[in-house]
Amino acid sequence: MSQIYEYLKMAVSNIKANKMRSFLTMLGIIIGISSVILIMSLGNGAKNVITEEMAGIAAGQIALYTYDDTGSYQITNEDIEAIEAEVGGLKGVNAYMSADGVTSTKKGEFQVMASGQRASYKVFSTTEILTGRYFNEQEYLSAAPVCVIGEEDAIRLFGSADILGKTIDVTIWGTEISFRIIGVEQAEKESMFTFTYDNSPVSIYFPLTVFAQIYGVGFDTYYQIYLMAEDGADTAAITTQVVDLLERRHQCYGEDIYQYESFSDYMGTVNTVINTVTMLISLVAAISLVVGGIGVMNIMLVSVTERTREIGIRKALGAKTRSIMLQFLSESAIITMIGGLIGIVSGIAGAFLVAKIVASVNPKLAFTPSVSIVTVLATTLFSSAIGLFFGIYPAKKAAKMSPIEALRRN
């Protein structure tokens, strides 16, 4: 143990004696380690914020649809009632229809995105109600002309969000309908997934049955419905139960009439893409570690040449081959370890700096880098392994040197 301590002291002493050369030798290791840490931290941080943002928008949602052209397998209101009654773990089932419209107020004329929803719409909304309420089952069944509007749209239309009880006249497909405003939703928090533009349509939400007044017929069948699972529920199991129920009711078991897409599927795809891209870029950055390792080997070879006489004297005094080899391996390992530590600190600092710059340029894209302890430990071990691997050849060369030949060279 004392011998190893002596080797380390000698290695540190030699590094100090050649500060600039040692630093330049470390530079490749520093760049490689810092690049890997920076990219992995930014990738993990971006993945975390994307997951959180998407969870706030669509967590637990499942879209279920049919490509049936015959009309025999469309989803009916009775099917929806059966799903709500028989399938556990669901907050609600929704179906909707949207149409373009236009409205005029004292503030001017506005394009409208009119969206008819079922009464369970409230559990699908990603924002809280600011004032008022959502429409209820009775209003849905009676096709009551009531609506919910967003806070920002309310201000655009009326100059205030205090508009409960006011009416908004919307012309849809040539028919004007007067909606009574019964609820105002809070403005959405800005995120990387929110997108607005000048003169964007005003969105209003009302009972889907109101569309029957425009068409003159009721809505009894749907090509697509949406399911909202309870927090922590198994969406895959819920989807399987719903598909089985529909296939049983429509006598089409095993024909794959009903397809589905869930939020968890999207998230799995997004995470896979982010992880793959991050890993590929990290592997490219890690190439500089190999280049840095070659640099360590070159400098150690130079060091062996410069210290030939020292090696000869030590071997003449009885130093063993193993001792000479350990001395040079210790030096190369220390160089790469120091470079690795500097690279880790630089990579973490760089990741936070890049995140800060991104946030200052576009606040919607603000996120906090996620530094993985596993990544830090892995890069530290890898940098040490690089030093040992590329230090073996110079160390062997020094250890095998004949003392007579070594003393004769200088």
Side-chain angles (χ1 to χ4, degrees):
M1 193 69 183
S2 60
Q3 278 188 327
I4 295 176
Y5 178 69
E6 287 299 321
Y7 299 149
L8 293 175
K9 279 179 64 178
M10 292 172 65
V12 172
S13 177
N14 191 61
I15 291 171
K16 287 182 177 178
N18 301 278
K19 294 185 180 68
M20 181 54 69
R21 189 173 73 181
S22 299
F23 174 73
L24 292 175
T25 305
M26 296 175 189
L27 201 55
I29 302 294
I30 293 171
I31 292 172
I33 293 293
S34 61
S35 298
V36 172
I37 293 289
L38 185 145
I39 292 166
M40 293 292 286
S41 299
L42 290 177
N44 290 335
K47 183 175 71 174
N48 291 341
V49 75
I50 289 172
T51 301
E52 290 175 5
E53 294 286 355
M54 291 186 69
I57 295 173
Q61 288 195 31
I62 305 165
L64 193 144
Y65 52 90
T66 173
Y67 289 122
D68 171 41
D69 294 326
T70 66
S72 303
Y73 303 108
Q74 290 184 37
I75 302 167
T76 65
N77 286 320
E78 289 75 18
D79 289 333
I80 293 176
E81 291 172 4
I83 291 170
E84 291 174 331
E86 299 181 31
V87 179
L90 283 176
K91 287 184 180 179
V93 182
N94 192 28
Y96 72 87
M97 179 177 180
S98 296
D100 295 329
V102 65
T103 186
S104 296
T105 68
K106 293 180 180 179
K107 295 285 185 178
E109 184 175 279
F110 299 87
Q111 296 297 314
V112 176
M113 176 58 69
S115 184
Q117 308 274 343
R118 287 177 60 86
S120 57
Y121 152 71
K122 59 180 176 292
V123 304
F124 289 81
S125 178
T126 58
T127 56
E128 298 292 331
I129 201 79
L130 180 66
T131 57
R133 60 178 177 83
Y134 293 103
F135 53 87
N136 54 37
E137 186 72 23
Q138 183 179 353
E139 289 165 329
Y140 170 79
L141 294 174
S142 64
V146 295
C147 74
V148 176
I149 189 171
E151 179 183 0
E152 292 179 343
D153 287 336
I155 294 172
R156 288 172 61 195
L157 291 174
F158 300 100
S160 169
D162 186 18
I163 56 172
L164 293 183
K166 289 189 176 183
T167 59
I168 174 173
D169 299 324
V170 182
T171 301
I172 305 172
W173 298 320
T175 301
E176 183 177 275
I177 301 178
S178 293
F179 290 99
R180 180 169 59 90
I181 300 172
I182 61 171
V184 178
E185 289 185 325
Q186 289 181 353
E188 289 188 27
K189 295 179 180 178
E190 284 201 352
S191 71
M192 61 178 66
F193 296 107
T194 56
F195 176 75
T196 57
Y197 55 93
D198 293 339
N199 300 318
S200 58
V202 170
S203 296
I204 64 170
Y205 306 93
F206 52 87
L208 177 62
T209 48
V210 172
F211 272 119
Q213 298 179 10
I214 303 171
Y215 274 123
V217 294
F219 283 89
D220 301 318
T221 60
Y222 312 96
Y223 283 100
Q224 182 167 297
I225 62 173
Y226 298 88
L227 314 172
M228 176 61 78
E230 294 178 351
D231 296 340
D234 187 345
T235 55
I238 289 173
T239 305
T240 300
Q241 291 180 55
V242 172
V243 171
D244 287 347
L245 176 62
L246 291 174
E247 288 180 340
R248 187 172 68 251
R249 289 178 60 85
H250 291 269
Q251 300 180 353
C252 59
Y253 191 79
E255 296 181 26
D256 294 329
I257 297 294
Y258 302 100
Q259 305 295 320
Y260 63 88
E261 295 175 350
S262 69
F263 168 75
S264 58
D265 294 333
Y266 284 121
M267 281 311 306
T269 302
V270 169
N271 287 335
T272 299
V273 170
I274 294 175
N275 289 337
T276 302
V277 171
T278 302
M279 187 59 66
L280 288 175
I281 297 175
S282 297
L283 288 175
V284 172
I287 293 174
S288 61
L289 282 173
V290 179
V291 176
I294 295 172
V296 170
M297 183 172 65
N298 288 337
I299 292 301
M300 293 308 298
L301 285 170
V302 171
S303 181
V304 169
T305 303
E306 289 178 346
R307 295 156 64 186
T308 301
R309 186 173 182 81
E310 175 193 332
I311 295 168
I313 293 172
R314 290 192 63 200
K315 296 206 75 172
L317 293 174
K320 295 181 179 180
T321 299
R322 177 174 173 273
S323 300
I324 301 296
M325 188 171 179
L326 283 175
Q327 178 188 345
F328 282 88
L329 276 178
S330 298
E331 191 169 324
S332 62
I334 288 175
I335 287 175
T336 48
M337 279 195 69
I338 294 174
L341 292 173
I342 295 173
I344 289 170
V345 174
S346 301
I348 294 172
F352 280 91
L353 178 61
V354 170
K356 189 172 183 180
I357 292 172
V358 170
S360 64
V361 173
N362 189 344
K364 286 186 178 182
L365 301 179
F367 67 95
T368 302
S370 178
V371 182
S372 170
I373 299 298
V374 174
T375 302
V376 171
L377 291 175
T379 51
T380 302
L381 293 174
F382 188 62
S383 66
S384 299
I386 285 284
L388 290 173
F389 179 78
F390 285 99
I392 287 174
Y393 176 70
K396 277 187 174 182
K397 184 177 179 181
K400 290 181 178 180
M401 195 174 291
S402 167
I404 297 173
E405 183 66 26
L407 291 171
R408 186 183 296 166
R409 287 189 184 181
N410 285 333

